[in-house]
C-alpha cells in the first residue's frame, strides 16, 4: 500500500468515528456508557490505565510511559497515585495546578508531550470518546444544558454529577437557535488535537510588554460590535484563548513561573472553582487539567515571594529528578541517537554505558552510610547485587537525600558530546574511549560548570574509564575463552572431580599411574580465588556446587559449564589468567605469526558475531586490551 492509499484509509477511519445527533440522542449514549461524561482529570487517569500496568516488587509500572521515560518509575508512580488517581475521583487534588519541577532535560516536557499525544489517541477510542455542543468554540460539555434545578434528579437517574454552568454564547444560542428546547440542541463527537486547538492548549511566556491576556481568555471582535451593538454580546467575542480551547482536556503552561503575575491570577479561580473571567461576561466554566513545568531556581524564587501565597497553595509540586540508573540512562541515549540522522554510525558496545556511568555519578550524592562508596551506590541503584547490602539498605540510601538527582550532567550535554565524537571521527564507528575523550574536552566549553565541579567531573571520567578497562578485559577474556571452550570444559570437569572427592573425603586416582592421591587443593583454590571465595568460605561453596550437581542429576539433567554462573565466571577468569601471555602476544605484536593471526581472527569474529562489534571496533578493542595487559 502506497502512502496516498494509507492517507485515504486513515481518512475513512476518521470519518467512521464522527458522530452527530441531538441532546436527546446523546442521553441515550450516556445511559449505555456514562464514562463519556467523565471529567478531564478522570479521562487522563483512565487513558494512562488503559495501556496496562505491571507490579514489580512493591512498585507499579505504568506501560503508558514505557519506551519514552526511563529510570523515573518511582516518580511516575507518585505522579499517577498522588495526583491523577485522587483527581479522577473528584477529590480536592483536582483543584490544584500540577507543577513538574526539575533540572533541564530531566523529562518534564516529555511527560507533558506524552499526556497530550495520549489524549489525542484516547479520544479516538470508545472509552475515551468525548462529546460537545456543536458549533461551540469551547467544545462545551452538553450536560451544562441541564438546568440547575434538575441536576439532582439527573444524578438519581444517570449517576453522573454535573459541574459548571452553560456559557454565555451557548445560553444565547439555546434561546435564539433552539427556542429553549435543550433536547434539540445538536451534539457532536470531538477529537482532541493540539494542532487544531481542540481540547489541548499550550501557553509559552514571552515579552511581558507585548504578551496580551487575550492569548489566554479570548478577546472582543471589534469588527462585529456594529452588527451586534454591544461588547457584552457573546457573539461579538472571540472565545479563542488557550484556556477556552483547552476546555475538556489539558492546558500546558511552559515555564509557568516566568509568566507575568496578571496571567497567573486567572488560574486562582480556574483551579479552585473551575471557571475564569473573560470579557464582560459572568464567570465561564472550564474543565481542564492544568499542568506546568519549571526549574528549581525559578520555583524557589516564586515561593519566597509573599505575593504568590494564594497561587502557591493551589499548586501540587511534583519533583522530576534526573534518572539515577545506568542501564536506563543508556536507553535515553539510544533513543536520542535513534531519532537523529546519525543512527547509521556504529557505536561499539559499552560506549554509551561509560557515558551513562559518568552522567549518573555526577548526579549521585556521596552517602554517609558506612561501607558504601559512590560506585557501590551506583550499582545498587541500578539493581545490581552488591555483597553486604540488601533492598532495605537501598531504600535507606534513597531516603538519605531529598534532592538527589536534581543536579549533575544532563542527557543533552552527553548526547552533544557523543554527536561531536561521531562527527569528528573519520570512520563511521566510535568506541567508549572516543566518548570519554569527547566528554572530557566538552567540560571546558560547558558554561555553567564551576571549577570545583569540573575537578569532580574529571574524577568521575577517570572512574568511568577504570570501569571500562574492566569491562573491556572481560569482553576480550570471554572471546578468547570461547576460542578455548574445550579447555574450559576440561578445567571444569577436573575441578568438579576434585570437589566431589574433597566433600566426600575420598581419594582420587592418577589417570596415568593409577595410584591414589589427595584432591588437588592448589587447583581448586586457584579457581575459587578468581571470584573472591575466601579460605573460610571454600567448603560452603564446594558443598553448594555438589548440591547443585545432585539436584541436576535428580531431574535427569547434566551439570555442565553453563550450569553455575559464578563457577563459570571463575573458570573463565582462571583460564584467562593462564592465557594472558597469549593475549598479550596476539594483541600487541605488530607482525603476528600465522598461529597468532588465526587466533586474533577467531576472537574478532566472536566479538562481531556474539558481542555486537564491527570489524573496526573489535580490532580497536583488542589493541586497547593488549596495551592494558602490557602495562
Amino acid at each position: 500500500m502506497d502512502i496516498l492509499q494509507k492517507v485515504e484509509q486513515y481518512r475513512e477511519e476518521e470519518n467512521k468515528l464522527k458522530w452527530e445527533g441531538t441532546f436527546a440522542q446523546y442521553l441515550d449514549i450516556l445511559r449505555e456508557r456514562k464514562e463519556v461524561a467523565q471529567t478531564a482529570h478522570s479521562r487522563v487517569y483512565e487513558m494512562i490505565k488503559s495501556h496496562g500496568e505491571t507490579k514489580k516488587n512493591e512498585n507499579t509500572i505504568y506501560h503508558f510511559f514505557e519506551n519514552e521515560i526511563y529510570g523515573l518509575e518511582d516518580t511516575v508512580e507518585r505522579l499517577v497515585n498522588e495526583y491523577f488517581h485522587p483527581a479522577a475521583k473528584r477529590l480536592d487534588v483536582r483543584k490544584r495546578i500540577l507543577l513538574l519541577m526539575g533540572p533541564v532535560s530531566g523529562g518534564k516536557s516529555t511527560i507533558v508531550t506524552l499526556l497530550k499525544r495520549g489524549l489525542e489517541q484516547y479520544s479516538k477510542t470508545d472509552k475515551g470518546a468525548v462529546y460537545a455542543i456543536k458549533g461551540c468554540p469551547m467544545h462545551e460539555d452538553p450536560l451544562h444544558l441541564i438546568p440547575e434545578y434538575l441536576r439532582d434528579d439527573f444524578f438519581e437517574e444517570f449517576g453522573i454529577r454535573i459541574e459548571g454552568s452553560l456559557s454565555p454564547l451557548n445560553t444565547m444560542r439555546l434561546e435564539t437557535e433552539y427556542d429553549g428546547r435543550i433536547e434539540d440542541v445538536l451534539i457532536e463527537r470531538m477529537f482532541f488535537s493540539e494542532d487544531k486547538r481542540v481540547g489541548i492548549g499550550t501557553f509559552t511566556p514571552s515579552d511581558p510588554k507585548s504578551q496580551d491576556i487575550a492569548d489566554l481568555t479570548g478577546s472582543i471582535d471589534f469588527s462585529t460590535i456594529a452588527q451586534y451593538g454591544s461588547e457584552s454580546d457573546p457573539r461579538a467575542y472571540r472565545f479563542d484563548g488557550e484556556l477556552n480551547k483547552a476546555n475538556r482536556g489539558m492546558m500546558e503552561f511552559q515555564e509557568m513561573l516566568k509568566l507575568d503575575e496578571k496571567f497567573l491570577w486567572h488560574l486562582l479561580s480556574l483551579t479552585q472553582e473551575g471557571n475564569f473571567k473573560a470579557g464582560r461576561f459572568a464567570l465561564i466554566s472550564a474543565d481542564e487539567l492544568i499542568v506546568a513545568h519549571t526549574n528549581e531556581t525559578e520555583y524557589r524564587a516564586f515561593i519566597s515571594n509573599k505575593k504568590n501565597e494564594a497561587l502557591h497553595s493551589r499548586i501540587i509540586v511534583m519533583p522530576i529528578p534526573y534518572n539515577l540508573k545506568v542501564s536506563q540512562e543508556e536507553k535515553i541515549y539510544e533513543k536520542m541517537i535513534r531519532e537523529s540522522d546519525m543512527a547509521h554510525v556504529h557505536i561499539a558496545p559499552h560506549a554509551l554505558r561509560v557515558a551513562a556511568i559518568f552522567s549518573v555519578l555526577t548526579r549521585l550524592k556521596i552517602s554517609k552510610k558506612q561501607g558504601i562508596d559512590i560506585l557501590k551506590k551506583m550499582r545498587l541503584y541500578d539493581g545490581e547485587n552488591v555483597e553486604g547490602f540488601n533492598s532495605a539498605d537501598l531504600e535507606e540510601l534513597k531516603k538519605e537525600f531529598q534532592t538527589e538527582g536534581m543536579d549533575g550532567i544532563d542527557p543533552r550535554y552527553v548526547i552533544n558530546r557523543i554527536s561531536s565524537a561521531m562527527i569528528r571521527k573519520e570512520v563511521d564507528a566510535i568506541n567508549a574511549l572516543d566518548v570519554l575523550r569527547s566528554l572530557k574536552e566538552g567540560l571546558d566549553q560547558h558554561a555553567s560548570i564551576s571549577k570545583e565541579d569540573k575537578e569532580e567531573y574529571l574524577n568521575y571520567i577517570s572512574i568511568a574509564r577504570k570501569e571500562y578497562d574492566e569491562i573491556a578485559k572481560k569482553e576480550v577474556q570471554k572471546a578468547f575463552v570461547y576460542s578455548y571452550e574445550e579447555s574450559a570444559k576440561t578445567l571444569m570437569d577436573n575441578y568438579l572431580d576434585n570437589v566431589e572427592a574433597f566433600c566426600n573425603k575420598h581419594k582420587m586416582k592418577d589417570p596415568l599411574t593409577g595410584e591414589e592421591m589427595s584432591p588437588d587443593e592448589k587447583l581448586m583454590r586457584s579457581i575459587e580465588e578468581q571470584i573472591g571465595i575466601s579460605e573460610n568460605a571454600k567448603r560452603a561453596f564446594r558443598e553448594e556446587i555438589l548440591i547443585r550437581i545432585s539436584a541436576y542429576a535428580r531431574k535427569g539433567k547434566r551439570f555442565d559449564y553453563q550450569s553455575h554462573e559464578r563457577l563459570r565466571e571463575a573458570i573463565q577468569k582462571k583460564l584467562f589468567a593462564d592465557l594472558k601471555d597469549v593475549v598479550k602476544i596476539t594483541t600487541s605484536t605488530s607482525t603476528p605469526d600465522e598461529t597468532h593471526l588465526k587466533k586474533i581472527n577467531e576472537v574478532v569474529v566472536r566479538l562481531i558475531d556474539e558481542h555486537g562489534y564491527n570489524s573496526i571496533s573489535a580490532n580497536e578493542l583488542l589493541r586497547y586490551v593488549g596495551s592494558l595487559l602490557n602495562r
Side-chain angles (χ1 to χ4, degrees), residues 504-522:
N504 295 327
K505 298 180 180 176
H506 291 162
K507 294 281 186 183
M508 296 182 67
K509 279 191 177 180
D510 188 300
L512 294 176
T513 63
E515 62 183 280
E516 289 191 338
M517 57 186 186
S518 298
D520 191 341
E521 184 66 23
K522 188 177 178 183

Side-chain angles (χ1 to χ4, degrees), residues 241-286:
E242 293 301 323
L243 293 181
N244 307 104
K245 293 300 184 182
N247 187 33
R248 314 294 301 286
M250 67 179 282
M251 174 73 201
E252 176 193 8
F253 280 89
Q254 297 177 351
E255 298 296 334
M256 184 182 90
L257 302 183
K258 286 186 170 75
L259 284 169
D260 190 80
E261 287 174 352
K262 66 181 179 183
F263 291 93
L264 298 177
W265 291 334
H266 279 276
L267 302 182
L268 294 173
S269 175
L270 181 58
T271 52
Q272 194 64 35
E273 308 299 334
N275 51 42
F276 64 92
K277 191 81 174 80
R280 297 180 181 179
F281 308 113
L283 291 167
I284 296 174
S285 297

